[in-house]
């Protein structure tokens, strides 16, 4: 029997009623949780494979069973966090589906900032390291902020009678999402001193300005035909 076949057979064995596949899944979860701890406290640049293995209390071979390198591990942790964040924001916004665009925006931003505040490790990963490493870009398909930007662009379209033909509304909402991220970074560096409601309200200054500008644009055709 070759070494690869022997290894595969070994990992699939059942011990204590737990299959090899289930043990592998549990080890991966432990490594990702350890990655959250290590990346979230040390930052991406200082984190090492040995740090993660020590935190997970697993041998190094199990790290390479799941990840090719430290960047691969970071991407896995980041994916878990963005998936959780996206689910949190989607659920929150669904609760105000029939409300005004500003109300929907405030609800989504509140969910976003609450998620960050609940665990400062998330801020280190999502706000500081991920943008620098090219993850979670607002224009990156599938990221939580990308989905929020698309959603808010659709909300604006639904509630605005007419938009300028040359206006890229998703470019506008992308900029406003960028404002939310930068505000979050500043908030994190102050130790989350301000309440979430205040942080959200400061973001809404810009969103209110957009809403007022769109109202003015919508009135122009009527004024021209009056």
């Amino acid at each position: 029997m070759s070494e690869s076949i022997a290894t595969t057979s070994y990992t699939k064995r059942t011990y204590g009623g737990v299959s090899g596949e289930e043990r592998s899944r549990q080890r991966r979860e432990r490594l990702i949780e350890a990655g959250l701890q290590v990346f979230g406290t040390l930052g991406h640049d200082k984190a090492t494979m040995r740090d993660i293995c020590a935190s997970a209390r697993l041998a190094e071979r199990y790290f390479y069973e799941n990840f090719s390198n430290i960047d691969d591990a970071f991407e896995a942790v980041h994916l878990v966090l963005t998936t959780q964040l996206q689910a949190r924001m989607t659920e929150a916004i669904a609760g105000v589906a029939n409300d005004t665009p500003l109300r929907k925006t405030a609800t989504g931003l509140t969910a976003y900032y609450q998620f960050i505040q609940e665990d400062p490790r998330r801020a280190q990963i999502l706000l500081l390291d991920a943008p620098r490493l090219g993850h979670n870009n607002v224009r990156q398909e599938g990221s939580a902020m990308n989905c929020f930007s698309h959603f808010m662009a659709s909300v604006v379209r639904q509630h605005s009678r007419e938009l300028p033909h040359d206006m890229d509304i998703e470019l506008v909402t992308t900029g406003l999402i960028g404002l939310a991220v930068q505000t979050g970074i500043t908030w994190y560096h102050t130790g989350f001193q301000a309440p979430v409601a205040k942080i959200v309200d400061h973001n809404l200054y810009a969103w209110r300005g957009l809403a007022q500008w769109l109202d003015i644009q919508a009135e122009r055709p009527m004024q021209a035909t009056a």
Side-chain angles (χ1 to χ4, degrees), residues 109-120 123 127-128 179-200 202-203:
L109 288 170
T110 298
Y112 171 69
Y113 287 123
Q114 287 177 340
F115 183 82
I116 296 296
Q117 186 184 42
E118 286 171 4
D119 189 340
L127 298 181
L128 301 185
L179 168 64
V181 173
Q182 291 301 317
T183 301
I185 292 173
T186 301
W187 187 45
Y188 166 67
H189 283 312
T190 65
F192 303 122
Q193 290 182 3
V196 170
K198 183 175 182 180
I199 299 300
V200 170
H202 275 69
N203 274 268

Side-chain angles (χ1 to χ4, degrees), residues 54-140:
S55 180
R57 297 184 179 181
L58 289 171
E60 293 179 8
R61 68 186 179 93
Y62 293 122
F63 179 92
Y64 290 109
E65 179 184 275
N66 289 276
F67 314 114
S68 57
N69 51 44
I70 196 72
D71 290 332
D72 192 25
F74 180 88
E75 185 172 349
V77 174
H78 177 263
L79 177 60
V80 169
L81 289 181
T82 53
T83 300
Q84 292 173 348
L85 174 57
Q86 184 173 332
R88 178 79 67 87
M89 293 172 68
T90 299
E91 180 181 5
I93 293 173
V96 291
N98 298 319
D99 217 319
T100 65
L102 279 177
R103 177 60 177 165
K104 291 177 182 178
T105 303
T107 300
L109 288 170
T110 298
Y112 171 69
Y113 287 123
Q114 287 177 340
F115 183 82
I116 296 296
Q117 186 184 42
E118 286 171 4
D119 189 340
R121 297 176 301 178
R122 297 170 179 171
Q124 175 67 45
I125 295 169
L126 294 177
L127 298 181
L128 301 185
D129 287 335
R132 181 175 57 83
L133 297 170
H135 298 287
N136 203 35
N137 188 286
V138 179
R139 287 285 193 176
Q140 180 182 339

